[in-house]
Amino acid sequence: MKVTVVSRSGREVIKGGLELRDSATVADLQKAIHKRTRKFYPSRQRLTLPLPPGAKERPVVLSYKKNLKDYCDGNSDNLTVVFKDLGPQVSYRTLFFCEYLGPLVLYPVFYYFPVYEFFGYKGERVIHPVQTYALYYWCFHYFKRIMETFFVHRFSHATSPLSNVFRNCSYYWTFGSLIAYYVNHPRYTPVNDLQMKIGFGFGLVCQLANFYCHILLRSLRRPGGNAGYQIPSGFLFNIVTCANYTTEIYQWLGFNVATQTVTGYIFLVVATSIMTNWALAKHRRLKKLFDGKDGRPRYPRRWVILPPFL
């Protein structure tokens, strides 16, 4: 069969098209495109079906596992696909490792090394117990995240744009450095012992609950991704759509109750707003997919992310 590959403007990306066997899959097409244009490796390609002029609906994205004939619409000998360059890509594991490694490495620098001398502080530094516990809590969190990235998470998409590495690292590394700077500062004033224990204790419980939420989410996605959406259930997912985000938010609340810094609370507010947008989008998507029609189950009534507020 012949496949014509065009850009969104209609210009031919592969001159003369590609000749593939009738049993070829979308993955075979991506490999053939890569062979002709070495710059565009498969994970950098986004292939869709062309839309008629004036159409406003979203184009159909070709699944790499499907046969090309599934998209031929009755004409098994010719197919036109629209090519989009997604830009340089990195694996999600690489992305998450880079963004989590920064805070894990930078925070201890402010605790162990005399960095405050470079900021003009010459006095004697006294390390309070809360600062030590904050170090352990922080490092445990980001070490857990890195381990989950390699051994727990299953990703629906294999890669992410390279630009996300710089954006995400800027976010995590900057906030990590600012929080570490103020929590470990020689003039830091600790909270009382009871507040510290309540904050870290509550936060640690939420960290462990967050890990269990990720284990439950892993079971919903088969290796290799593309398992389709499913209704999450079990543990906190029986009452909250995005229980993993809920426990993530509350574990940072516990950290801030114990440490009490302005930068820590700013990080909490920013992170909460980001995760809330993600949670609202996921909640709407699941309610739309599981609408109770045509034999589909109806999505149960649940909080989105922050009971009892949302």
Side-chain angles (χ1 to χ4, degrees):
M1 64 181 302
K2 182 177 181 179
V3 181
T4 303
V5 184
V6 300
S7 65
R8 287 185 290 180
S9 64
R11 179 181 59 84
E12 266 197 304
V13 176
I14 307 294
K15 297 297 183 181
L18 294 166
E19 292 289 342
L20 299 172
R21 65 183 188 277
D22 289 345
S23 60
T25 63
V26 174
D28 293 328
L29 172 60
Q30 290 177 316
K31 292 176 183 176
I33 294 173
H34 182 215
K35 188 175 181 180
R36 291 281 296 271
T37 57
R38 301 303 297 177
K39 176 182 177 181
F40 302 128
Y41 45 87
S43 61
R44 186 167 174 165
Q45 303 171 26
R46 183 176 185 263
L47 302 177
T48 60
L49 295 179
L51 288 173
K56 294 184 179 180
E57 64 267 19
R58 291 177 177 270
V60 175
V61 180
L62 276 60
S63 170
Y64 75 97
K65 290 185 176 181
K66 286 192 175 183
N67 196 293
L68 287 172
K69 282 190 175 181
D70 295 337
Y71 299 103
C72 284
D73 194 23
N75 185 349
S76 60
D77 296 326
N78 292 280
L79 176 66
T80 299
V81 299
V82 179
F83 170 89
K84 179 183 179 182
D85 176 20
L86 298 176
Q89 301 285 300
V90 295
S91 71
Y92 268 98
R93 284 188 171 85
T94 299
L95 170 65
F96 288 167
F97 175 74
C98 291
E99 65 186 44
Y100 298 152
L101 182 64
L104 180 61
V105 172
L106 290 171
Y107 194 100
V109 170
F110 288 88
Y111 180 86
Y112 286 110
F113 297 98
V115 295
Y116 295 96
E117 293 181 5
F118 297 100
F119 297 100
Y121 183 82
K122 303 297 183 181
E124 182 183 359
R125 181 186 173 204
V126 177
I127 297 179
H128 302 284
V130 65
Q131 293 171 313
T132 302
Y133 294 139
L135 170 72
Y136 296 155
Y137 184 100
W138 181 279
C139 291
F140 172 73
H141 171 75
Y142 282 103
F143 179 77
K144 176 182 80 74
R145 278 195 163 190
I146 290 175
M147 291 299 102
E148 288 173 339
T149 296
F150 287 104
F151 302 110
V152 177
H153 294 323
R154 288 174 177 162
F155 304 100
S156 57
H157 300 286
T159 61
S160 172
L162 177 62
S163 59
N164 286 349
V165 174
F166 303 102
R167 182 196 65 187
N168 291 15
C169 286
S170 298
Y171 170 76
Y172 279 101
W173 293 28
T174 300
F175 267 118
S177 298
L178 288 173
I179 294 171
Y181 174 84
Y182 285 105
V183 172
N184 295 290
H185 198 281
R187 295 178 179 173
Y188 171 78
T189 302
V191 299
N192 63 65
D193 191 61
L194 177 61
Q195 182 174 337
M196 177 190 72
K197 290 178 179 178
I198 290 174
F200 283 140
F202 175 72
L204 183 59
V205 169
C206 290
Q207 287 213 52
L208 297 175
N210 179 259
F211 172 74
Y212 186 57
C213 287
H214 289 156
I215 294 294
L216 293 177
L217 289 175
R218 172 186 171 88
S219 66
L220 296 179
R221 181 170 291 145
R222 294 189 296 270
N226 292 326
Y229 288 102
Q230 301 181 49
I231 299 176
S233 61
F235 192 45
L236 298 177
F237 286 108
N238 290 332
I239 56 175
V240 186
T241 292
C242 294
N244 52 321
Y245 296 157
T246 303
T247 51
E248 178 78 12
I249 291 169
Y250 284 145
Q251 71 96 10
W252 282 121
L253 176 62
F255 178 86
N256 281 295
V257 167
T259 56
Q260 291 284 74
T261 64
V262 173
T263 51
Y265 279 111
I266 292 175
F267 175 65
L268 175 63
V269 171
V270 173
T272 300
S273 65
I274 293 172
M275 285 186 277
T276 298
N277 287 332
W278 292 344
L280 288 169
K282 183 175 182 179
H283 190 76
R284 288 192 295 265
R285 183 165 58 244
L286 290 173
K287 288 185 68 176
K288 183 178 180 180
L289 287 172
F290 300 103
D291 54 8
K293 300 176 182 178
D294 301 324
R296 293 184 293 270
R298 177 176 291 278
Y299 192 74
R301 185 178 179 85
R302 292 176 178 173
W303 299 104
V304 179
I305 185 172
L306 290 175
F309 307 106
L310 181 62

